[in-house]
Amino acid sequence: MDTTRLRELVTGDGPFASVYFDDTHNTEDAAKQRELTWRDLRARLAEQDASEVTLDALEAAVLGGEPPVGRSGRALVATADGEWLDRHLSEPPARSEARLSRLPYLVPLVEYGELPPPHVVAVADRIGADITAVDEHGTVVDALTVEGTDSHVHKVRRGGWGHRDLQQHTEELVKQNIERAAERVAASARSTGASLVVVAGESQARKALLDALPEPVRGHAVEVQPGGRKPGSGEDELDRSIDELLADAVRARRDDVVERFTAELGKPTGLAVQGLEAVTTALREHNVATLLLGGLGSGGNGDTGDNGDAGGEVAEVLTGPEPALLALRENELTAQGIDAGDTRRARADEALLVAAVAVGADVISVGERVDLTDGFGALLRHD
């Protein structure tokens, strides 16, 4: 997960109320179910002494606004100063979370809210294409229609001496329209750094568009059958196809991180470490490129749970005045010139993610793909 947009969050003042829940909206009573879910979450936060201001800010966010379409999860983080984070998750969390703590709790956001890679979708026909580009933050940055002319861009049905000339003219117009669309698709792909280009629409048009794309962009392009430019032309099927492709891309990205981590860990001086001691040291030195989370689970309302330690208790670390100042022992922080009175204890499943955001590291949940010591690993920037 790209943590760029979380920087402001981790520099704010707590306590933070972190809420995660199933926000699926696919039944007639979905709105009522959301209200009941929120009542439970609010009660759990109130038991942890969350302020009324914080609770009201969360309530306005949860119950207000447009509901999602279909299966969805929701992530919210707020303080008494207002709402800091409100994001729909690609899938509902395994269970709802309501935690009030000094630091924001981000593990479920990483587990269920990893954004797909930047991508471009082009739905083509003989006239042109509808193009949508999405950046690495999940934001639509380009949504436009590129069209040429529809003059004579139809199958010629009459014979006679002019038939061949008309047919050639039609084919040339179609070619120009497709080339114009391909140029725009390529420009959008380059500007967003898209690693996936989805091409849909009329069979001949999408094949022609694929052929017209420049090689670097064509290498990331995938042709799908559903969807067309006319209303009712399989939009739902197209959306499902795109969702599947994006989910595959997210899985592939996680698998790639695991492969690189395993390879580096196997080298005598590889750029990978695991375990709380090694990872906190790397974070303190701003030497983490990607923080890996194993099967940490969650601790619900701040209760103890499986957080990667052998005893089943919540793993803790020491923190200093700055988010990245982490250690397992006090002398490691005092050696940095930090007064012992300025150190505090914090949950590892909160402090390490906050530190990773602060140093500009990516964070990725690898689940059970690799057995990480203490539930944490890191790919390093340098040895």
Side-chain angles (χ1 to χ4, degrees):
M1 171 179 285
D2 183 349
T3 60
T4 304
R5 292 196 170 186
L6 299 177
R7 303 276 173 81
E8 187 177 356
L9 171 66
V10 303
T11 58
D13 296 325
F16 293 85
S18 305
V19 172
Y20 300 88
F21 63 97
D22 185 337
D23 197 28
T24 296
H25 197 90
N26 57 7
T27 61
E28 291 184 0
D29 66 342
K32 182 63 176 179
Q33 290 302 318
R34 181 198 288 184
E35 184 177 347
L36 293 173
T37 297
W38 167 243
R39 287 182 187 174
D40 173 63
L41 294 169
R42 178 165 185 145
R44 288 158 61 181
L45 288 171
E47 289 176 359
Q48 299 171 66
D49 296 325
S51 72
E52 288 297 316
V53 173
T54 302
L55 294 174
D56 289 345
L58 285 169
E59 181 166 313
V62 170
L63 301 183
E66 292 295 321
V69 177
R71 286 185 84 246
S72 178
R74 188 85 171 270
L76 298 107
V77 180
T79 68
D81 292 332
E83 174 195 327
W84 284 84
L85 173 75
D86 184 356
R87 185 177 296 178
H88 287 289
L89 306 176
S90 57
E91 60 180 297
R95 63 173 181 261
S96 62
E97 302 278 355
R99 182 187 292 189
L100 185 74
S101 50
R102 180 170 61 87
L103 300 174
Y105 177 48
L106 303 175
V107 169
L109 180 65
V110 175
E111 291 180 334
Y112 301 103
E114 184 175 358
L115 295 172
H119 56 280
V120 176
V121 178
V123 184
D125 63 13
R126 292 157 62 86
I127 309 302
D130 298 327
I131 302 167
T132 305
V134 180
D135 67 11
E136 70 274 17
H137 303 299
T139 302
V140 175
V141 293
D142 214 356
L144 72 160
T145 294
V146 177
E147 290 188 341
T149 176
D150 62 355
S151 176
H152 301 299
V153 183
H154 304 285
K155 184 177 180 180
V156 179
R157 297 184 180 277
R158 62 188 179 89
W161 67 269
H163 175 85
R164 181 175 297 177
D165 288 343
L166 283 171
Q167 186 67 42
Q168 290 176 343
H169 180 62
T170 296
E171 291 174 355
E172 182 60 29
L173 286 176
V174 171
K175 183 174 181 291
Q176 291 175 6
N177 294 343
I178 293 296
E179 288 177 348
R180 187 176 292 109
E183 289 175 1
R184 186 62 209 192
V185 170
S188 294
R190 285 191 291 265
S191 66
T192 58
S195 58
L196 176 66
V197 175
V198 181
V199 180
E202 293 180 0
S203 176
Q204 291 183 342
R206 65 175 186 258
K207 292 182 185 301
L209 179 56
L210 282 170
D211 290 341
L213 291 173
E215 182 54 41
V217 177
R218 194 188 315 150
H220 299 296
V222 177
E223 180 183 359
V224 296
Q225 292 187 359
R229 298 187 67 200
K230 295 180 180 179
S233 301
E235 292 95 336
D236 292 342
E237 292 88 347
L238 175 59
D239 288 343
R240 281 193 291 270
S241 295
I242 294 171
D243 288 344
E244 290 174 3
L245 288 170
L246 295 176
D248 288 344
V250 170
R251 283 191 291 270
R253 185 164 57 190
R254 288 175 173 168
D255 291 342
D256 177 65
V257 169
V258 169
E259 184 177 342
R260 287 190 287 125
F261 175 81
T262 303
E264 292 295 330
L265 201 62
K267 299 176 183 177
T269 56
L271 298 178
V273 296
Q274 63 177 328
L276 280 174
E277 183 160 6
V279 174
T280 54
T281 298
L283 285 166
R284 195 167 63 246
E285 296 173 350
H286 289 221
N287 189 24
V288 173
T290 303
L291 177 67
L292 282 70
L293 309 182
L296 296 179
S298 57
N301 292 353
D303 301 330
T304 59
D306 181 10
N307 288 279
D309 60 311
E313 297 179 354
V314 175
E316 292 187 335
V317 296
L318 287 169
T319 66
E322 300 296 328
L325 291 173
L326 304 179
L328 297 188
R329 290 172 290 275
E330 190 173 275
N331 64 338
E332 293 174 304
L333 292 181
T334 55
Q336 303 287 322
I338 300 168
D339 189 277
D342 291 332
T343 64
R344 302 174 68 178
R345 302 201 69 82
R347 294 177 60 126
D349 62 358
E350 295 170 359
L352 269 71
L353 275 77
V354 167
V357 174
V359 303
D362 290 339
V363 184
I364 193 164
S365 172
V366 298
E368 306 301 326
R369 289 174 173 83
V370 59
D371 185 16
L372 296 173
T373 301
D374 300 329
F376 294 97
L379 282 167
L380 306 180
R381 290 174 172 152
H382 54 78
D383 56 21

